[in-house]
Amino acid sequence: MDFILFRYTINLLWIFLLLGGCATNINVRPLYQLNDIISQSSSSYREPSLGNEWLVRLTRNNGREKVQLVDLRSKRVVPLPGINRFDAQPISVSVNANGTILAVIHQRDDKTELIVYRRNIGSIQRILLEPRGIPRRVSIDGAGRVLAVQVSRDGKWDLDLIRL
Amino acid sequence: MSDVQRLPSGYLSNSQEEPALSGNGEKLALIVDKNGRASVQLRDVSSGRVIPLNNLSRHQPHSSPSLSWNGRYLALIVQRGNKREVIIDDRQTGKIFQVRISGGRTPLRLSLAPDATQLAMQLADKGQWRIELFDLSQNLEPDQPSGIRSASQVTSLD
């Protein structure tokens, strides 16, 4: 009898695993107040990248898209002088852990450029891809020392790793 | 640019998309074409070695991978039936967490904070793109740079 009960329990366990998979549902809490403060209903937002207490995103307002950095502690948008040129269309953006370095891909004058912006000194460094290619998406590591870049090259997607 | 150093990336095969570095820069998550299915892959940056992701072999197409500081957590969008869902793989414990999204909204992009205390989601909501932040601090143990210890505990919701 004990053996039958054991087999029955094992079978039930297998059925449970097969039907439900191994995922555990978690109820993560939206940060309602913060979300309300940092977003406007009239704007559209995409391409989020989080540091620790920093959020960078692309914001579309009145038909124009720009890079926006939010300090999540003060809940304020931080100025990025020189990065949002009127003739540039941002495509992808990534921020390091402490929000000091941004990697940005933007299109300007029919060229797609990869740049690194250092907020503390206000510098913009253009990164040249070798061999040449068109960057599409970028990720920067927490310390701001390494970039991983998705690049269109010879009709396929390559991946370049660049140490700054 | 004299201060730009290219890392060897010849180990990477064709069609690599959506790169995401861990906070410490040692691991790289990306989307590769695996038998015609967009699948997440994790690699060690210095050696190029593929790190097995045993829990993530199903529910393709995968998209928008994101890693925490040491790569302990991997956040990912997966397809289950006709729904896109957000999961977080805790590679240390082997647990997979599914993040519930209310209101029938569709996740499009993810970003996990390096310390894994917050998750940012780009959501399609009534024809508009929005970004929402979610608090993970009650659910996940922080993934800090080595040497930094946290006093917080993992809260199990099982």
Side-chain angles (χ1 to χ4, degrees):
Chain A
M1 188 65 186
D2 282 351
F3 179 72
I4 292 169
L5 193 65
F6 174 75
R7 288 285 301 271
Y8 179 72
T9 308
I10 292 292
N11 285 340
L12 268 181
L13 201 62
W14 271 113
I15 289 166
F16 172 77
L17 286 173
L18 285 171
L19 287 178
C22 302
T24 302
N25 280 308
I26 55 173
N27 284 312
V28 294
R29 190 172 61 89
L31 295 163
Y32 292 112
Q33 195 185 7
L34 184 59
N35 288 329
D36 285 347
I37 291 171
I38 65 172
S39 299
Q40 297 172 342
S41 58
S42 60
S43 299
S44 178
Y45 302 94
R46 67 184 185 96
E47 296 290 313
S49 170
L50 277 176
N52 292 329
E53 303 294 345
W54 296 91
L55 168 70
V56 69
R57 60 190 178 181
L58 301 184
T59 305
R60 180 179 288 278
N61 202 356
N62 297 323
R64 184 159 179 256
E65 202 161 37
K66 60 182 182 181
V67 178
Q68 202 174 61
L69 180 68
V70 183
D71 178 347
L72 297 175
R73 283 203 186 104
S74 66
K75 305 175 182 65
R76 287 174 191 272
V77 173
V78 176
L80 300 170
I83 208 169
N84 287 305
R85 297 173 54 115
F86 73 94
D87 58 348
Q89 164 71 40
I91 295 170
S92 175
V93 65
S94 182
V95 67
N96 73 331
N98 66 7
T100 56
I101 305 175
L102 278 68
V104 180
I105 296 171
H106 67 195
Q107 197 166 23
R108 192 173 140 231
D109 295 335
D110 294 331
K111 287 182 186 163
T112 307
E113 297 177 329
L114 169 63
I115 60 170
V116 170
Y117 180 79
R118 291 179 173 81
R119 259 189 342 112
N120 49 356
I121 53 174
S123 76
I124 293 178
Q125 178 186 13
R126 190 173 160 215
I127 309 292
L128 298 174
L129 298 174
E130 198 62 49
R132 292 176 68 175
I134 302 170
R136 172 63 186 85
R137 197 175 289 282
V138 64
S139 170
I140 193 167
D141 74 324
R145 294 198 193 105
V146 183
L147 300 180
V149 191
Q150 179 185 335
V151 181
S152 173
R153 197 176 275 137
D154 300 326
K156 65 180 176 66
W157 291 118
D158 273 349
L159 205 139
D160 286 5
L161 292 168
I162 299 167
R163 190 176 300 280
L164 298 174
Chain B
M1 303 269 178
S2 58
D3 53 349
V4 173
Q5 178 196 343
R6 317 256 153 213
L7 297 177
S9 50
Y11 58 80
L12 295 168
S13 58
N14 280 348
S15 182
Q16 308 112 38
E17 300 180 47
E18 306 193 53
L21 286 164
S22 61
N24 62 11
E26 293 175 5
K27 294 184 180 65
L28 173 72
L30 66 162
I31 300 296
V32 299
D33 184 346
K34 199 172 173 183
N35 301 323
R37 299 193 300 176
S39 304
V40 68
Q41 190 177 76
L42 185 64
R43 284 188 178 258
D44 180 83
V45 167
S46 56
S47 68
R49 183 176 64 89
V50 175
I51 301 167
L53 293 168
N54 297 327
N55 295 325
L56 299 176
S57 59
R58 298 186 300 157
H59 304 305
Q60 285 92 347
H62 299 158
S63 62
S64 196
S66 184
L67 291 166
S68 58
W69 188 270
N70 299 293
R72 171 177 174 175
Y73 300 107
L74 169 62
L76 186 68
I77 297 174
V78 301
Q79 188 83 28
R80 208 185 289 260
N82 59 358
K83 276 186 72 180
R84 300 181 93 182
E85 294 178 349
V86 174
I87 60 168
I88 300 172
D89 181 7
D90 181 349
R91 298 192 316 108
Q92 187 169 304
T93 64
K95 261 190 169 182
I96 294 218
F97 300 97
Q98 185 184 333
V99 179
R100 288 189 193 153
I101 304 164
S102 61
R105 297 171 301 168
T106 304
L108 300 174
R109 305 278 321 154
L110 301 179
S111 180
L112 191 60
D115 60 8
T117 57
Q118 291 181 340
L119 179 70
M121 270 190 227
Q122 179 191 338
L123 298 161
D125 183 16
K126 295 170 190 149
Q128 201 171 17
W129 288 339
R130 312 195 64 77
I131 290 175
E132 284 196 9
L133 295 168
F134 294 82
D135 178 22
L136 300 176
S137 63
Q138 301 301 308
N139 304 100
L140 304 181
E141 190 176 32
D143 189 19
Q144 308 275 20
S146 55
I148 299 176
R149 288 185 65 83
S150 168
S152 66
Q153 300 290 313
V154 179
T155 305
S156 173
L157 298 180
D158 287 307

